[in-house]
Amino acid sequence: MIRGTLASFSLFALALWTSIFFSGALPFILFPLVGLAFLAASAPIASINNPRLKQAGLMLGFLGLGILIGGMRIPQTPRWDRYPRLFPASPAHTAIPLRRVGEFRGVLAEDSTAIPDASGTLSRYPVKLRQVVSIDGQRSGSARGAVEVWVRGGQALFRGQEVTVYAGLRCSHQPGRFAYYCRAESGQLWGGAFPRRIDSLRAHAFLRIRSRLQRLDPPVAALMGALLLGRREELEISVYEQFRTSGSLHLLALSGLHLGILYLLLSQLLRFLRDRRLRGLIAGILLLGYVFLVGWRPSLERAAVMLLIAAVGYTLDREIQPLNLLGMAAVLLLLVHPHYAFDLSFQLSFLSLAAILLIGPFLHRVWQGHLPAFVGWPLGVSLSAQIGTAPLVLYHFGALYPVGVAAALVLIPLVTVFLGGGVLFVGLSFLPAPLGGMTEGMLAQGLRLVHRAITLCLDLFSRAPGLYVSWRPTYWLFLAILLLPLAEDSRIRRRIPAC
């Protein structure tokens, strides 16, 4: 691999994200013109017989290609409305004026999600709009666009399920794909049938697994449902707040960490297969099934794409660079879902992993010889992720919990054991009673003890003070994102270990 290719591909992903993110702030034609100019300039520079100039030309070409493609992949709802006349008409529309809409119908684009707070559970429903009805019920017509529906104490619904909302619509000025938003009460949203059978089968399988978890004690089942299935409806508000104030809220968001834990567990369970490639292939397929079951999310999609690319490279006996994998995953996801450029979970997922890959090895070298490896590496990973995401977290929330670095050293091993026990518990629950009954009871007791340890650690770390700021470090955010790919150094490149 040519030195600099790694940074070039990361630069491509960064340019793609930047051009999409700012696509609404500047005239539409600017990004394609700049991209074409960079591409035209890169060709003669790369043709010069000089290694440094060739590398500079390659990087300039990747930068121009990212700007060109990103400028042409403007999401449905522009990020800014400074130049409304320069954008084509939005594909979102309603046959009835928004002020007259009193009811609308559609299909869920994603599973509903829940956020516990002091007033109860706040549920979010991304809906693909299909039909609107007037307030008096006399008129109805077709509609198109994405609606972000928020309901206090709403029920859990699944992707592909038909929904009817007895409330009005408003234009959304938030970045991303949503053209409209709606706030409704729990009795104003109703779930219906599944037009596609595959969505119905997925929801049925999800509910079956969730019902198996209900055999555990309610607090244990609630935490297991949040960590394993991504459902927080039953999680107590006090537990959610402890995760937040201990700097460990990322553990409740399904991400590459959860996939990594499950991959290690599956690899151990499949050790009876002698062929490592076959073992890795089966584990990868099972993980894709898990992602399909719990729902596609930016952080899970990133991990799944990286896993698939790494598996293909391993099968073909090709060298794999982790940061290169990260850039490939970002490019693929942004090309398919350009609105992810505005998604906070997407930004945090990629920024944290980039920081781990770039800053983690440096931190490990700093205290190498002073700390044992089993402490130094996890500490470097946790601290580098905290450093990389700090500007973004402060920008959006104005609060940071540094104790999360220490909390991760204790909670991640406990969560790993807890998730592994949960997977085994679900698997044994499908066995006949004589075979799985006794082992299931022992596992339930063990999970109860691990849950107790997790809650005690959360209570301890949540007592530590947080860092609160009244300003938003906007320049920190973009400076950190710009500098991470440029900090690439050959000494910290690492191959992905064989599975």
Side-chain angles (χ1 to χ4, degrees), residues 394-438:
L394 288 174
Y395 173 76
H396 283 278
F397 305 108
L400 191 67
Y401 300 95
V403 71
V405 176
L409 299 179
V410 180
L411 287 175
I412 289 180
L414 289 174
V415 168
T416 301
V417 175
F418 191 68
L419 281 176
V423 173
L424 292 177
F425 181 86
V426 172
L428 291 173
S429 67
F430 286 96
L431 296 178
L435 295 176
M438 183 179 299

Side-chain angles (χ1 to χ4, degrees), residues 171-249:
C171 284
S172 174
H173 300 290
Q174 298 297 320
R177 58 175 171 166
F178 295 104
Y180 313 103
Y181 79 93
C182 169
R183 290 190 176 273
E185 301 297 329
S186 59
Q188 294 179 311
L189 184 143
W190 291 88
F194 291 89
R196 300 194 308 173
R197 180 164 178 77
I198 188 171
D199 293 324
S200 176
L201 293 175
R202 170 182 171 270
H204 179 69
F206 186 97
L207 291 175
R208 282 198 66 186
I209 293 177
R210 195 174 186 180
S211 67
R212 302 290 173 167
L213 294 179
Q214 301 303 321
R215 300 182 182 182
L216 298 168
D217 293 345
V220 181
L223 183 59
M224 185 64 73
L227 291 173
L228 184 62
L229 301 178
R231 291 290 187 165
R232 307 178 188 175
E233 290 88 354
E234 300 176 358
L235 194 66
E236 294 183 3
I237 299 174
S238 60
V239 176
Y240 181 85
E241 284 299 310
Q242 285 180 336
F243 270 100
R244 184 181 65 83
T245 54
S246 65
S248 308
L249 193 57

Side-chain angles (χ1 to χ4, degrees), residues 42-100:
S42 66
I45 296 176
S47 63
I48 300 176
N49 190 19
N50 184 298
R52 292 184 179 274
L53 291 179
K54 283 182 178 294
Q55 179 179 333
L58 182 63
M59 294 182 66
L60 190 63
F62 272 104
L63 181 63
L65 186 62
I67 295 175
L68 174 64
I69 297 177
M72 299 173 64
R73 292 291 291 164
I74 297 178
Q76 178 175 320
T77 304
R79 173 66 176 86
W80 317 95
D81 54 3
R82 188 180 302 174
Y83 305 98
R85 295 184 180 180
L86 295 176
F87 294 95
S90 171
H93 74 276
T94 58
I96 300 174
L98 287 183
R99 65 180 183 276
R100 301 288 304 276

Side-chain angles (χ1 to χ4, degrees), residues 118 137 143 219 399 463 498:
R463 298 176 185 272

